[in-house]
């Protein structure tokens, strides 16, 4: 898993060091809980010093957030078009992928508000989904009157559905819940969404 997206052109040494830190973090997470892992533990496992760690991440929470973002990005790569538009089909693809991602992370117990690690992961996923939707809206020809609010609303439906599915055995795609919301913003979707919306469950 990984998190904050890097600029397109990054020194290969920076990428390599970040990858080492993320791999070390993942290995430690298989052996002990998040709260039991220190920055020194991560640096030691990666074979670097603490100063180098802090040159790349603010703390272990920043590393966790970065790991989540990168892991979600990996899941979405190949599922979505290279430059997605704000369409019903793309929204559903995003929702299905996020649901599967959250299900693997949280299992059938769902997100526990008392678990700081889970809360951080959930917050990061919700933020990533919102940011991605905002990008789609910005590049879609039809202009939504309240683009950020629309991104927030769709992101919360996707995130909420994913949390609910992580607590149950129902792994159906969140199309039904999304269709209900998307009906209200149908005039602002890209044109290729029209036929998909007509076929969606009401």
């Amino acid at each position: 898993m990984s998190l904050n997206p890097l600029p397109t052109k990054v020194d290969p040494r920076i990428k390599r060091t970040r990858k080492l830190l993320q791999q070390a973090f993942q290995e430690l997470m298989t052996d002990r809980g998040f709260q039991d892992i220190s920055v020194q533990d991560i640096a030691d496992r990666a074979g670097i010093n603490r100063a180098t760690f802090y040159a790349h991440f603010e703390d272990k929470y920043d590393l966790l957030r970065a790991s989540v973002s990168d892991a979600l990005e990996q899941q979405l790569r190949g599922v979505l078009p290279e430059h997605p538009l704000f369409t019903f089909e793309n929204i559903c693809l995003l929702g299905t992928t996020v649901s599967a991602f959250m299900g693997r992370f949280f299992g059938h117990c769902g997100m526990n508000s008392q678990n700081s690690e889970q809360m951080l992961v959930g917050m990061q996923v919700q933020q990533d989904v919102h940011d991605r939707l905002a990008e789609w809206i910005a590049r879609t020809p039809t202009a939504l009157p309240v683009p950020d609010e629309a991104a927030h609303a769709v992101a919360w439906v996707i995130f909420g559905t994913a949390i609910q599915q992580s607590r149950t055995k129902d792994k159906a795609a969140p199309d039904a819940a999304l269709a209900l919301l998307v009906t209200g913003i149908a005039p602002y979707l890209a044109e290729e969404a029209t036929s998909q919306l007509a076929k969606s469950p009401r």
Side-chain angles (χ1 to χ4, degrees), residues 1-200:
M1 299 191 308
S2 339
L3 204 74
N4 298 331
L6 292 170
T8 307
K9 295 182 180 179
V10 179
D11 188 319
R13 292 170 297 180
I14 294 176
K15 287 184 176 181
R16 188 162 51 249
T17 302
R18 286 176 66 96
K19 186 174 181 179
L20 276 173
L21 287 165
Q22 291 172 343
Q23 184 175 354
F25 179 57
Q26 290 171 23
E27 291 172 359
L28 288 166
M29 287 282 286
T30 63
D31 299 332
R32 63 187 90 164
F34 176 73
Q35 297 300 335
D36 296 325
I37 299 172
S38 68
V39 168
Q40 189 63 60
D41 292 332
I42 300 167
D44 289 344
R45 179 66 68 97
I48 63 172
N49 57 46
R50 285 168 59 91
T52 301
F53 176 95
Y54 288 117
H56 294 272
F57 300 102
E58 292 181 6
D59 49 33
K60 69 176 184 177
Y61 296 94
D62 188 30
L63 174 56
L64 175 63
R65 289 190 295 266
S67 296
V68 172
S69 281
D70 288 353
L72 182 57
E73 174 65 28
Q74 288 291 330
Q75 292 294 312
L76 290 169
R77 197 169 294 159
V79 174
L80 292 165
E82 187 174 354
H83 300 293
L85 294 178
F86 190 55
T87 69
F88 182 70
E89 181 180 5
N90 287 337
I91 291 170
C92 285
L93 285 172
L94 178 61
T96 301
T97 305
V98 169
S99 287
F101 180 81
M102 297 285 281
R104 280 192 296 273
F105 188 88
F106 295 119
H108 293 300
C109 297
M111 190 169 70
N112 181 355
S113 61
Q114 303 303 312
N115 186 314
S116 61
E117 174 196 347
Q118 288 191 353
M119 289 300 292
L120 275 172
V121 170
M123 288 168 61
Q124 188 59 50
V125 170
Q126 199 279 335
Q127 184 63 53
D128 287 352
V129 170
H130 165 270
D131 292 348
R132 188 174 292 271
L133 288 166
E135 288 178 9
W136 297 1
I137 292 171
R139 73 166 64 103
T140 299
T142 51
L144 271 163
V146 283
D148 194 56
E149 286 81 352
H152 273 298
V154 178
W156 275 112
V157 169
I158 289 174
F159 181 68
T161 303
I163 291 297
Q164 178 61 28
Q165 290 185 349
S166 75
R167 295 171 176 161
T168 68
K169 293 182 179 180
D170 178 16
K171 296 302 176 187
D175 295 16
L178 287 168
L180 233 109
L181 174 67
V182 170
T183 297
I185 55 176
Y188 305 102
L189 294 171
E191 289 182 5
E192 56 262 43
T194 307
S195 61
Q196 292 292 333
L197 185 58
K199 298 176 185 176
S200 65

